[in-house]
Amino acid sequence: MWREEVKLPKGSTLQENRKVDVVVVGGGITGITTAYLLQNEGLNVALLEANEILNGTTGHTTAKITAQHDVIYDELIGHIGVEQAKLYYEANDNALHFMKDLIEKENIDCQFSTQDAYLYGATLEFDHRIHKEFRAYEKLNIPCDFKTSLPFQFDIRAAAIMKNQAQFHPLQYLTHLAKQFLEKGGVIFENTVANDIEEGTSPTVITRDGHRISCQHVAICTHFPFYDGAGFFYTRMYAKRSYVLAAKTKQKFPGGMYLGADQPTHSLRSATLNGEEVVLIGGEGHKVGQGINTEYHYQSLQRFAEENFNVLSYPYRWSAQDLITIDKIPYIGKLKESKENIFIATGFKKWGMTHGTVAAQLITDLIMQRKNPYEEVYKPSRFHADPSIRYFLRQNLDVADHFIRGKLDLPKKSVEQLEKGEGNIIYVNSKRAGAYKDEGGKIHCVDTTCTHLGCEVNWNAGDSTWDCPCHGSRFSYDGTVLEGPAKTPLKTINLNDEESTQ
Ligand SMILES: Cc1cc2nc3c(=O)[nH]c(=O)nc-3n(C[C@H](O)[C@H](O)[C@H](O)COP(=O)(O)OP(=O)(O)OC[C@H]3O[C@@H](n4cnc5c(N)ncnc54)[C@H](O)[C@@H]3O)c2cc1C
Ligand code: FES
């Protein structure tokens, strides 16, 4: 939906080896803001993007700009203490003000508006948690309010309100930054997949097509880091997918941004689309590859929408995913303490509008050798013992469970039984395989063993993709990698050479 209303600047295609100061990889909010800030510092920056810029999670967000990151501050105080929790809030609040000031100063037309952010609980359990969260706001001196009702017909028990947050059109804002970056001499290479890094005092980024770019610093803003550097990020993060509906409603939206903390969570804000107001209704999050059925998630959202609004139509719907770290705090900074010139920014827990900006500022300061007050909070090498170990073990037990269960999961259909537009698991020569019959009747058959670490991928009917339940890699129906950590496509199987059996 966001892409409809912007004219994106076109990148060029990488054809020669270029020598640059900084290579930024990833053309979402994090990569573009980082490239913009570094180019403003007078450095020579090249931005590499695997597809087109702003087509990853940033192109499919709900774009609330807020430091209200679900129920988190009470937990943060318990895990990292009041001072560090205050820094977490301050980093995000500063990012919001940085964006607001830039939008005002450069007169960026991007539907920016100041809104209060409501975090509400409708059940007894979340009534209790919202009260605790509100007390955490007070302890951290966050400008806030408390209510027991919302400004529209919806029964709740408690709402903690963070004052003066914001919402905007993310692509109108980021297109402006990308154009400024290009005007100041930056270069964007689209359709350029970074595949590896050769480390050293002058690291070299190597693309899938074999191009090499030497530089002084690399900023990895690819969501899942395409280069892990033995940081084992796939054991320390998991991917969560969520769904969004844009609904035209009979009644006018009362303003404000809303997030229900109860499960399943629901998010609400308004936006203007082709001159008309729509309500963005998000939620139904689940670990990637572990959803019930994509259509089921959209239908649940639709039921929620129709119970609470007079819906006229749904002009758009989409889904996207984001990464969550084991202690819920993003990894921003040096890939490893020993690696002075490779930086990562990931694990934004669906709060990347402020965190992508925090990351861009922090990485810029580290490259410019300036002190940044938030370095310790986000340091990727941290390990907060208590919650981290619990999440770490749960995450890796879950992976082990899916690894085994996937191998035992029996095929459900024969290739002949597939309808047009259907994907399913079949047997090919007594081995599990995945087949999709496209609208023209052509069968696309792949080996369902994920090329990352060997779990079995599951069919996602809503997006026609193969999704891995272990670390969230996604592949198109023909096996092409859509999201990492996997780098290699699923093996394709030619059914003419093999015999399909049930
Ligand atoms: C449904 C949903 C709603 C959300 N709502 C909000 C919200 O209201 N507010 C908020 O703050 N946050 C929200 N978020 C989170 C936010 O959208 C993300 O955290 C943020 O967009 C991540 O930005 P990014 O730049 O890090 O990643 P992306 O936007 O995904 O960009 C990463 C880019 O890297 C590219 N890439 C990957 N691998 C390579 C490679 N090897 N070589 C070259 N390029 C590569 C990808 O193609 C992609 O374009 C939401 C997320 C979801 C899923
Ligand atoms: S993403 Fe790790 S095994 Fe599939």
Side-chain angles (χ1 to χ4, degrees):
M1 167 198 123
W2 302 115
R3 287 174 78 82
E4 290 246 319
E5 291 172 288
V6 288
K7 195 158 171 16
L8 294 164
K10 281 277 147 233
S12 37
T13 306
L14 183 61
Q15 271 159 353
E16 81 264 48
N17 293 351
R18 285 184 78 98
K19 188 140 173 41
V20 294
D21 296 321
V22 187
V23 174
V24 176
V25 188
I29 185 166
T30 316
I32 288 181
T33 314
T34 305
Y36 166 84
L37 291 181
L38 287 167
Q39 192 70 33
N40 278 355
E41 295 283 353
L43 299 183
N44 189 9
V45 181
L47 184 131
L48 312 189
E49 163 53 50
N51 303 301
E52 289 179 339
I53 60 165
L54 297 172
N55 204 16
T57 305
T58 303
H60 301 87
T61 180
T62 34
K64 296 174 179 172
I65 313 175
T66 177
Q68 185 183 67
H69 295 174
D70 207 337
V71 184
I72 185 138
Y73 288 101
D74 178 55
E75 205 175 311
L76 282 184
I77 290 173
H79 296 157
I80 58 174
V82 172
E83 286 318 309
Q84 294 277 306
K86 235 180 218 169
L87 287 173
Y88 176 102
Y89 166 73
E90 197 185 282
N92 286 281
D93 189 51
N94 283 349
L96 189 162
H97 284 98
F98 167 85
M99 294 164 88
K100 181 172 188 280
D101 293 348
L102 186 66
I103 289 164
E104 280 169 6
K105 186 170 141 237
E106 305 210 356
N107 209 5
I108 307 172
D109 185 9
C110 63
Q111 298 182 24
F112 182 92
S113 70
T114 299
Q115 304 278 346
D116 288 343
Y118 291 66
L119 178 68
Y120 63 83
T123 56
L124 193 58
E125 181 194 345
F126 282 91
D127 178 21
H128 178 62
R129 291 188 64 181
I130 298 293
H131 275 90
K132 280 171 73 175
E133 188 70 0
F134 179 67
R135 283 197 292 277
Y137 287 4
E138 290 185 315
K139 205 179 264 182
L140 299 173
N141 296 324
I142 298 174
C144 60
D145 203 351
F146 185 86
K147 290 203 169 138
T148 51
S149 63
L150 297 181
F152 56 97
Q153 197 58 43
F154 187 69
D155 286 338
I156 60 155
R157 286 172 174 269
I161 301 155
M162 211 178 263
K163 306 292 284 179
N164 298 324
Q165 306 299 293
Q167 64 186 34
F168 72 154
H169 189 307
L171 299 206
Q172 287 172 347
Y173 168 78
L174 289 163
T175 304
H176 178 90
L177 265 55
K179 284 182 182 156
Q180 293 274 309
F181 167 68
L182 290 172
E183 276 171 24
K184 290 191 173 153
V187 274
I188 298 177
F189 296 116
E190 291 185 306
N191 302 309
T192 305
V193 181
N195 213 29
D196 206 354
I197 297 179
E198 257 173 32
E199 294 188 28
T201 42
S202 276
T204 301
V205 177
I206 303 167
T207 72
R208 185 182 287 167
D209 298 335
H211 292 287
R212 301 167 64 85
I213 313 177
S214 299
C215 54
Q216 298 305 310
H217 303 276
V218 185
I220 303 176
C221 309
T222 51
H223 219 206
F224 214 103
F226 75 91
Y227 179 75
D228 193 76
F232 300 106
F233 289 99
Y234 58 85
T235 64
R236 298 160 62 196
M237 290 198 287
Y238 64 92
K240 209 165 169 189
R241 199 150 188 91
S242 306
Y243 301 80
V244 185
L245 295 175
K248 273 193 199 166
T249 60
K250 209 163 174 187
Q251 67 265 56
K252 195 165 164 35
F253 195 71
M257 307 186 298
Y258 304 88
L259 185 68
D262 311 78
Q263 297 299 319
T265 56
H266 289 116
S267 153
L268 296 167
R269 64 158 278 199
S270 64
T272 304
L273 176 67
N274 301 323
E276 280 189 293
E277 184 183 83
V278 288
V279 182
L280 301 185
I281 303 164
E284 287 291 317
H286 61 80
K287 274 184 90 172
V288 171
Q290 299 186 20
I292 302 167
N293 168 310
T294 314
E295 277 308 319
Y296 165 89
H297 294 295
Y298 283 122
Q299 279 161 16
S300 296
L301 267 190
Q302 216 161 307
R303 262 196 313 279
F304 171 81
E306 283 155 29
E307 275 161 21
N308 296 294
F309 297 94
N310 208 332
V311 179
L312 300 172
S313 63
Y314 298 101
Y316 291 97
R317 67 176 208 178
W318 65 89
S319 70
Q321 67 195 53
D322 209 359
L323 294 156
I324 302 173
T325 67
I326 48 183
D327 62 4
K328 301 186 184 166
I329 303 173
Y331 296 131
I332 306 170
K334 288 182 208 155
L335 179 67
K336 275 177 125 184
E337 272 318 280
S338 56
K339 299 186 197 301
E340 290 290 329
N341 50 15
I342 304 177
F343 304 91
I344 58 159
T346 187
F348 297 158
K349 192 177 157 275
K350 298 195 204 154
W351 298 108
M353 298 300 107
T354 52
H355 265 141
T357 310
V358 170
Q361 293 170 318
L362 179 43
I363 290 173
T364 302
D365 281 348
L366 292 174
I367 289 178
M368 299 310 291
Q369 300 191 328
R370 288 192 297 249
K371 275 233 142 297
N372 182 297
Y374 313 118
E375 189 178 344
E376 286 299 317
V377 179
Y378 293 106
K379 203 180 236 179
S381 57
R382 72 182 180 270
F383 202 80
H384 299 304
D386 172 32
S388 300
I389 285 171
R390 259 201 333 265
Y391 280 113
F392 180 85
L393 293 177
R394 197 186 310 152
Q395 160 67 1
N396 288 296
L397 279 175
D398 183 64
V399 166
D401 179 48
H402 277 280
F403 184 87
I404 294 163
R405 216 156 5 117
K407 306 282 173 204
L408 300 177
D409 195 14
L410 292 174
K412 302 181 175 69
K413 284 203 166 177
S414 69
V415 71
E416 294 77 19
Q417 288 170 319
L418 289 180
E419 304 282 341
K420 284 185 181 168
E422 183 187 357
N424 222 318
I425 304 295
I426 58 164
Y427 263 139
V428 176
N429 273 349
S430 320
K431 270 182 62 194
R432 191 183 192 269
Y436 168 67
K437 191 175 196 172
D438 68 22
E439 293 303 335
K442 184 174 173 206
I443 302 285
H444 303 264
C445 192
V446 293
D447 184 335
T448 50
T449 310
C450 177
T451 55
H452 177 227
L453 290 177
C455 290
E456 293 298 315
V457 295
N458 292 324
W459 180 246
N460 170 344
D463 298 324
S464 299
T465 55
W466 294 104
D467 297 355
C468 183
C470 288
H471 312 106
S473 289
R474 293 178 65 236
F475 304 85
S476 128
Y477 60 81
D478 62 1
T480 315
V481 179
L482 298 175
E483 308 214 27
K487 290 184 183 179
T488 318
L490 295 176
K491 215 166 95 191
T492 52
I493 297 174
N494 186 345
L495 284 179
N496 294 329
D497 301 337
E498 311 266 0
E499 200 181 320
S500 153
T501 52
Q502 196 170 4

